[in-house]
Amino acid sequence: MPMVTLAELMAKAEEGKYAVGAFNCNNMEIVQAIIMAAEAEKAPVIIQASQGAIKYAGLDYIVALARLAGDKASVPVALHLDHGTSFEQCVQCISSGFTSVMIDGSKHALEDNIALTNRVLSVARAVGVSVEAELGKIGGTEDDIHVDEKDALFTDPEEARYFVEKTGVDALAVAIGTAHGQYKGRPELDFERLSQIEKLVDVPLVLHGSSGVPDEDIRRAIEIGVRKVNIDTNLREAFTEGVRDVINAKPNEIDPRKILGPAKERMSEVIREKIRLFGSSNQA
Ligand SMILES: [Zn+2]
């Protein structure tokens, strides 16, 4: 089916009180793993590309792979830019075929973040593309973007209300204690803060850095109002474990298909588990 926007997926998720999984892709195998899992679960899904993915594969390759996969899929698929860093990059992605972009202005002061987000919105709205923004600073490392633990900043609920009022974004990423990358201990999520934000803000909320967050915490976040959950690290782990297992078991294997194939299968299994956890199975 034709690809859909984030806004369309979020509206249905809000109705059904579930979250849509947003999975990061870097190459063909990952795109296929995401689509295989979504089709097996009959789930809507978001394929997203980060700065690192665009640098690694090239924007044109990412778009070609994801659009082909999305248009052929029997489930609704959105192609989303993860942590867009500038107005120019968002416009580039919009014109290349993304159905949704994130503009991450969280490193800027509030009013500057609002101005930047509105600039992206003015272009995106004209062509029917969705926009996610971020308020507060999510810690950890996502490809090129690193936020020190001491600089991570939880989202202020009142500011979130003001931000959404001034922008009208389609989804808002909030900082409530999750971080990008692998966790050292158990993350402490601030559910009280999430509830306050949810009460004051009427757009779907997004949880970043969700790999390694215990299942019960993910469920609770979705109960409160999270409608998009980003997963990258768990996919990397599954893929590299798959590669490592084959190479350890068959050191003389030289066929890349026999190494990457099982890694793709393993990654797809992890994506299916996440989709079930998010409650988006059979929602396509
Ligand atoms: Zn993120």
Side-chain angles (χ1 to χ4, degrees):
M1 62 173 67
M3 292 190 86
V4 298
T5 63
L6 180 66
E8 288 170 62
L9 294 182
M10 293 294 94
K12 284 194 181 142
E14 184 55 43
E15 226 169 86
K17 305 289 174 210
Y18 60 88
V20 181
F23 303 101
N24 285 80
C25 76
N26 297 293
N27 64 16
M28 182 189 77
E29 281 77 10
I30 301 174
V31 169
Q32 289 176 334
I34 296 168
I35 296 296
M36 271 160 52
E39 292 201 313
E41 293 296 330
K42 298 186 173 56
V45 77
I46 299 156
I47 297 177
Q48 58 184 19
S50 67
Q51 300 302 312
I54 291 169
K55 208 184 272 179
Y56 173 77
L59 184 62
D60 46 358
Y61 274 79
I62 294 276
V63 171
L65 285 167
R67 295 243 23 149
L68 177 67
D71 287 336
K72 272 178 71 175
S74 59
V75 294
V77 181
L79 173 57
H80 176 77
L81 169 66
D82 192 22
H83 291 280
T85 47
S86 69
F87 170 75
E88 289 74 16
Q89 184 185 44
C90 287
V91 172
Q92 204 182 10
C93 287
I94 290 168
S95 76
S96 303
F98 280 61
T99 62
S100 177
V101 293
M102 175 184 189
I103 176 67
D104 179 357
S106 63
K107 64 171 187 274
H108 301 296
L110 179 63
E111 292 300 333
D112 294 339
N113 189 356
I114 290 171
L116 176 62
T117 302
N118 276 332
R119 219 172 143 215
V120 172
L121 270 163
S122 68
V123 175
R125 286 280 179 262
V127 287
V129 165
S130 303
V131 177
E132 173 185 336
E134 177 174 324
L135 193 63
K137 276 187 202 152
I138 297 161
T141 302
E142 168 112 36
D143 292 331
D144 298 349
I145 303 165
H146 178 77
V147 177
D148 252 16
E149 230 167 273
K150 62 174 173 22
D151 296 324
L153 203 65
F154 282 15
T155 307
D156 179 82
E158 264 307 319
E159 260 185 30
R161 183 195 57 74
Y162 178 74
F163 183 90
V164 169
E165 207 177 272
K166 293 285 174 191
T167 57
V169 282
D170 299 297
L172 183 68
V174 291
I176 58 157
T178 58
H180 296 118
Q182 281 177 322
Y183 289 98
K184 287 181 202 97
R186 183 190 165 126
E188 288 288 330
L189 270 56
D190 188 342
F191 290 109
E192 183 51 38
R193 182 180 298 270
L194 182 64
S195 298
Q196 285 173 1
I197 298 169
E198 200 278 331
K199 282 191 191 85
L200 294 173
V201 163
D202 65 354
V203 297
L205 304 178
V206 182
L207 199 62
H208 284 239
S210 309
S211 294
V213 174
D215 288 0
E216 71 239 47
D217 286 359
I218 294 281
R219 269 188 219 105
R220 195 166 159 200
I222 294 170
E223 263 165 43
I224 293 171
V226 163
R227 297 289 169 251
K228 173 175 179 272
V229 180
N230 289 9
I231 298 283
D232 189 1
T233 301
N234 282 156
L235 306 191
R236 296 178 181 194
E237 289 164 351
F239 199 81
T240 46
E241 276 163 22
V243 168
R244 217 173 272 135
D245 279 0
V246 174
I247 290 176
N248 285 342
K250 300 178 201 156
N252 296 325
E253 182 56 68
I254 58 143
D255 185 343
R257 295 166 298 188
K258 292 186 179 155
I259 298 167
L260 298 181
K264 176 167 76 175
E265 297 285 339
R266 183 172 311 195
M267 183 184 246
S268 202
E269 274 310 308
V270 170
I271 297 170
R272 287 189 69 171
E273 281 164 26
K274 296 292 178 188
I275 287 172
R276 291 196 287 268
L277 171 65
F278 303 159
S280 50
S281 285
N282 297 311
Q283 299 287 355

